mmCIF file of all heavy atoms in Angstrom:
data_model
loop_
_atom_site.group_PDB
_atom_site.id
_atom_site.type_symbol
_atom_site.label_atom_id
_atom_site.label_comp_id
_atom_site.label_asym_id
_atom_site.label_seq_id
_atom_site.Cartn_x
_atom_site.Cartn_y
_atom_site.Cartn_z
ATOM 1 N N GLU A 58 4.394 -3.167 10.626
ATOM 2 C CA GLU A 58 4.820 -3.437 9.251
ATOM 3 C C GLU A 58 4.391 -4.830 8.815
ATOM 4 O O GLU A 58 3.883 -5.013 7.709
ATOM 5 C CB GLU A 58 6.338 -3.294 9.126
ATOM 6 C CG GLU A 58 6.836 -1.867 9.187
ATOM 7 C CD GLU A 58 8.356 -1.766 9.242
ATOM 8 O OE1 GLU A 58 9.034 -2.816 9.280
ATOM 9 O OE2 GLU A 58 8.855 -0.635 9.247
ATOM 10 N N LEU A 59 4.579 -5.802 9.695
ATOM 11 C CA LEU A 59 4.170 -7.168 9.363
ATOM 12 C C LEU A 59 2.658 -7.260 9.167
ATOM 13 O O LEU A 59 2.180 -7.921 8.247
ATOM 14 C CB LEU A 59 4.632 -8.141 10.456
ATOM 15 C CG LEU A 59 6.138 -8.359 10.543
ATOM 16 C CD1 LEU A 59 6.481 -9.221 11.768
ATOM 17 C CD2 LEU A 59 6.669 -9.011 9.276
ATOM 18 N N THR A 60 1.915 -6.575 10.030
ATOM 19 C CA THR A 60 0.458 -6.579 9.914
ATOM 20 C C THR A 60 0.020 -5.933 8.608
ATOM 21 O O THR A 60 -0.848 -6.466 7.902
ATOM 22 C CB THR A 60 -0.175 -5.839 11.112
ATOM 23 O OG1 THR A 60 0.231 -6.484 12.322
ATOM 24 C CG2 THR A 60 -1.686 -5.824 11.014
ATOM 25 N N VAL A 61 0.625 -4.798 8.264
ATOM 26 C CA VAL A 61 0.270 -4.107 7.024
ATOM 27 C C VAL A 61 0.620 -4.972 5.822
ATOM 28 O O VAL A 61 -0.162 -5.075 4.868
ATOM 29 C CB VAL A 61 0.976 -2.729 6.952
ATOM 30 C CG1 VAL A 61 0.866 -2.119 5.568
ATOM 31 C CG2 VAL A 61 0.390 -1.785 7.987
ATOM 32 N N MET A 62 1.782 -5.608 5.866
ATOM 33 C CA MET A 62 2.167 -6.479 4.750
ATOM 34 C C MET A 62 1.198 -7.649 4.617
ATOM 35 O O MET A 62 0.794 -8.015 3.509
ATOM 36 C CB MET A 62 3.602 -6.977 4.932
ATOM 37 C CG MET A 62 4.626 -5.900 4.674
ATOM 38 S SD MET A 62 6.379 -6.301 4.952
ATOM 39 C CE MET A 62 6.500 -8.042 4.975
ATOM 40 N N LYS A 63 0.803 -8.227 5.745
ATOM 41 C CA LYS A 63 -0.124 -9.355 5.720
ATOM 42 C C LYS A 63 -1.487 -8.904 5.189
ATOM 43 O O LYS A 63 -2.082 -9.572 4.343
ATOM 44 C CB LYS A 63 -0.274 -9.947 7.120
ATOM 45 C CG LYS A 63 -1.162 -11.164 7.178
ATOM 46 C CD LYS A 63 -1.262 -11.708 8.584
ATOM 47 C CE LYS A 63 -2.241 -12.862 8.641
ATOM 48 N NZ LYS A 63 -2.474 -13.308 10.006
ATOM 49 N N ASP A 64 -1.970 -7.744 5.676
ATOM 50 C CA ASP A 64 -3.234 -7.213 5.185
ATOM 51 C C ASP A 64 -3.158 -6.893 3.699
ATOM 52 O O ASP A 64 -4.102 -7.151 2.950
ATOM 53 C CB ASP A 64 -3.638 -5.956 5.965
ATOM 54 C CG ASP A 64 -4.127 -6.262 7.371
ATOM 55 O OD1 ASP A 64 -4.360 -7.452 7.671
ATOM 56 O OD2 ASP A 64 -4.266 -5.307 8.167
ATOM 57 N N GLY A 65 -2.029 -6.336 3.283
ATOM 58 C CA GLY A 65 -1.839 -6.032 1.861
ATOM 59 C C GLY A 65 -1.873 -7.298 1.022
ATOM 60 O O GLY A 65 -2.467 -7.330 -0.058
ATOM 61 N N GLN A 66 -1.243 -8.344 1.522
ATOM 62 C CA GLN A 66 -1.237 -9.612 0.803
ATOM 63 C C GLN A 66 -2.655 -10.182 0.716
ATOM 64 O O GLN A 66 -3.079 -10.648 -0.341
ATOM 65 C CB GLN A 66 -0.306 -10.598 1.512
ATOM 66 C CG GLN A 66 -0.136 -11.915 0.782
ATOM 67 C CD GLN A 66 0.844 -12.834 1.502
ATOM 68 O OE1 GLN A 66 1.196 -12.597 2.656
ATOM 69 N NE2 GLN A 66 1.285 -13.872 0.843
ATOM 70 N N GLU A 67 -3.394 -10.118 1.819
ATOM 71 C CA GLU A 67 -4.774 -10.605 1.808
ATOM 72 C C GLU A 67 -5.625 -9.772 0.861
ATOM 73 O O GLU A 67 -6.448 -10.307 0.111
ATOM 74 C CB GLU A 67 -5.357 -10.570 3.220
ATOM 75 C CG GLU A 67 -4.757 -11.611 4.148
ATOM 76 C CD GLU A 67 -5.249 -11.476 5.593
ATOM 77 O OE1 GLU A 67 -6.068 -10.580 5.870
ATOM 78 O OE2 GLU A 67 -4.794 -12.265 6.434
ATOM 79 N N THR A 68 -5.419 -8.452 0.882
ATOM 80 C CA THR A 68 -6.176 -7.571 -0.012
ATOM 81 C C THR A 68 -5.860 -7.885 -1.473
ATOM 82 O O THR A 68 -6.760 -7.948 -2.307
ATOM 83 C CB THR A 68 -5.852 -6.089 0.296
ATOM 84 O OG1 THR A 68 -6.176 -5.830 1.662
ATOM 85 C CG2 THR A 68 -6.630 -5.151 -0.598
ATOM 86 N N ARG A 69 -4.566 -8.087 -1.772
ATOM 87 C CA ARG A 69 -4.190 -8.446 -3.151
ATOM 88 C C ARG A 69 -4.844 -9.757 -3.554
ATOM 89 O O ARG A 69 -5.299 -9.914 -4.683
ATOM 90 C CB ARG A 69 -2.672 -8.538 -3.274
ATOM 91 C CG ARG A 69 -2.000 -7.196 -3.414
ATOM 92 C CD ARG A 69 -0.538 -7.330 -3.797
ATOM 93 N NE ARG A 69 0.251 -8.112 -2.858
ATOM 94 C CZ ARG A 69 0.798 -7.640 -1.754
ATOM 95 N NH1 ARG A 69 0.641 -6.382 -1.435
ATOM 96 N NH2 ARG A 69 1.496 -8.419 -0.960
ATOM 97 N N GLY A 70 -4.882 -10.712 -2.635
ATOM 98 C CA GLY A 70 -5.529 -11.995 -2.933
ATOM 99 C C GLY A 70 -7.002 -11.816 -3.249
ATOM 100 O O GLY A 70 -7.516 -12.382 -4.225
ATOM 101 N N ILE A 71 -7.682 -11.011 -2.438
ATOM 102 C CA ILE A 71 -9.113 -10.752 -2.673
ATOM 103 C C ILE A 71 -9.303 -10.020 -3.993
ATOM 104 O O ILE A 71 -10.184 -10.368 -4.788
ATOM 105 C CB ILE A 71 -9.710 -9.949 -1.494
ATOM 106 C CG1 ILE A 71 -9.759 -10.822 -0.237
ATOM 107 C CG2 ILE A 71 -11.092 -9.422 -1.836
ATOM 108 C CD1 ILE A 71 -10.097 -10.072 1.038
ATOM 109 N N LEU A 72 -8.462 -9.008 -4.233
ATOM 110 C CA LEU A 72 -8.575 -8.258 -5.489
ATOM 111 C C LEU A 72 -8.279 -9.142 -6.694
ATOM 112 O O LEU A 72 -8.937 -9.017 -7.736
ATOM 113 C CB LEU A 72 -7.642 -7.040 -5.479
ATOM 114 C CG LEU A 72 -8.079 -5.888 -4.583
ATOM 115 C CD1 LEU A 72 -7.002 -4.793 -4.581
ATOM 116 C CD2 LEU A 72 -9.399 -5.312 -5.025
ATOM 117 N N ASN A 73 -7.302 -10.029 -6.561
ATOM 118 C CA ASN A 73 -7.003 -10.940 -7.670
ATOM 119 C C ASN A 73 -8.193 -11.839 -7.971
ATOM 120 O O ASN A 73 -8.521 -12.066 -9.134
ATOM 121 C CB ASN A 73 -5.763 -11.779 -7.362
ATOM 122 C CG ASN A 73 -4.483 -10.993 -7.519
ATOM 123 O OD1 ASN A 73 -4.440 -9.987 -8.215
ATOM 124 N ND2 ASN A 73 -3.423 -11.436 -6.870
ATOM 125 N N LYS A 74 -8.828 -12.353 -6.910
ATOM 126 C CA LYS A 74 -10.026 -13.178 -7.120
ATOM 127 C C LYS A 74 -11.122 -12.363 -7.794
ATOM 128 O O LYS A 74 -11.790 -12.838 -8.704
ATOM 129 C CB LYS A 74 -10.534 -13.724 -5.781
ATOM 130 C CG LYS A 74 -9.673 -14.816 -5.204
ATOM 131 C CD LYS A 74 -10.210 -15.283 -3.864
ATOM 132 C CE LYS A 74 -9.293 -16.296 -3.215
ATOM 133 N NZ LYS A 74 -9.769 -16.705 -1.891
#
Side-chain angles (χ1 to χ4, degrees):
E58 288 173 358
L59 291 174
T60 301
V61 168
M62 287 176 18
K63 183 180 176 187
D64 287 349
Q66 185 178 14
E67 289 174 1
T68 302
R69 280 191 302 276
I71 291 170
L72 287 175
N73 284 338
K74 287 178 185 177

